[in-house]
Amino acid sequence: MGGSLELFHVNLVSLILTFAVFGTLLVILSKYVWGPVLKALDERDNAIRDDLDQAEHSKEEAQKLLKEHEKAMSDLREEGRKIREQAKQQAENQKQELIAAAEIEAEKIMQKTRQQLEADRLSMLEDVKSLTVEVAVDLAQKMIVKEVDKDSHKELIKQSLSDIEAAYKKTA
């Protein structure tokens, strides 16, 4: 048991020297080391704060740029929609112009065709009139030359009508 008490035995010189070394070390550390360490820690703290502030500023800038980009995209979409609408309207206008021009051209062709048909009809009527007159004159000559009874008269008229019909078929 005596040995275990020796562990708790305190040497006064050792104790004073230990406190003196500790105090000297504390003074040296506080004067030469503690200041620069605290300064370095403060600088690091300030650098981190500056970096965080810069990051926040960058985030705000990015948000601002994102909003500007979204607005620009929205404006471009709207402009694209307007361009499409204008193109559709322009195409519709051109379509209506083409249809109107085609209708006018068709009406001109129809009018020309009607005029041509009317001219052909009048020409045919003139031909029929001429032919009728010729047949009537021929019939009158035959009737004058020959004295005709009722049956002969009917026969001459039938013959003349057949001649008119044959002449009409030739002109048609």
Side-chain angles (χ1 to χ4, degrees):
M1 271 205 350
S4 64
L5 284 179
E6 285 181 18
L7 287 176
F8 291 111
H9 180 327
V10 176
N11 185 349
L12 189 57
V13 174
S14 240
L15 183 66
I16 292 175
L17 282 176
T18 301
F19 277 121
V21 168
F22 180 76
T24 307
L25 185 60
L26 190 61
V27 169
I28 291 173
L29 285 176
S30 67
K31 188 172 185 178
Y32 295 109
V33 175
W34 196 252
V37 167
L38 286 178
K39 183 179 175 186
L41 288 174
D42 285 342
E43 287 175 358
R44 183 165 184 226
D45 185 44
N46 289 337
I48 290 171
R49 286 177 202 262
D50 289 345
D51 288 345
L52 288 174
D53 290 343
Q54 184 66 28
E56 185 65 31
H57 180 71
S58 295
K59 180 181 175 184
E60 290 171 1
E61 263 316 294
Q63 290 292 335
K64 181 181 173 186
L65 289 174
L66 179 63
K67 286 180 182 177
E68 288 176 4
H69 177 71
E70 287 172 349
K71 184 181 182 327
M73 290 299 289
S74 175
D75 291 347
L76 287 174
R77 283 187 199 103
E78 181 64 23
E79 187 176 337
R81 186 192 61 75
K82 286 179 182 177
I83 289 171
R84 281 191 305 276
E85 287 298 319
Q86 287 175 348
K88 284 181 185 178
Q89 186 62 39
Q90 209 171 30
E92 184 63 30
N93 290 345
Q94 287 178 346
K95 174 184 160 188
Q96 294 302 326
E97 289 173 2
L98 288 173
I99 289 172
E103 287 175 349
I104 290 170
E105 187 63 29
E107 186 58 36
K108 285 180 183 178
I109 291 170
M110 291 293 289
Q111 186 64 29
K112 189 175 180 180
T113 303
R114 285 185 195 117
Q115 289 173 352
Q116 185 63 41
L117 286 173
E118 183 62 21
D120 290 347
R121 187 183 70 79
L122 291 175
S123 174
M124 285 175 43
L125 282 175
E126 287 299 317
D127 290 346
V128 169
K129 284 180 187 178
S130 294
L131 186 60
T132 305
V133 169
E134 287 177 18
V135 170
V137 169
D138 187 39
L139 179 62
Q141 282 178 347
K142 287 180 184 175
M143 287 176 70
I144 292 176
V145 170
K146 180 182 192 192
E147 221 174 272
V148 224
D149 63 358
K150 195 174 184 181
D151 288 335
S152 296
H153 186 66
K154 284 184 180 179
E155 187 60 37
L156 282 173
I157 289 175
K158 283 183 183 177
Q159 178 63 38
S160 294
L161 287 175
S162 294
D163 290 345
I164 290 173
E165 188 178 334
Y168 179 72
K169 287 181 180 177
K170 284 182 184 177
T171 59

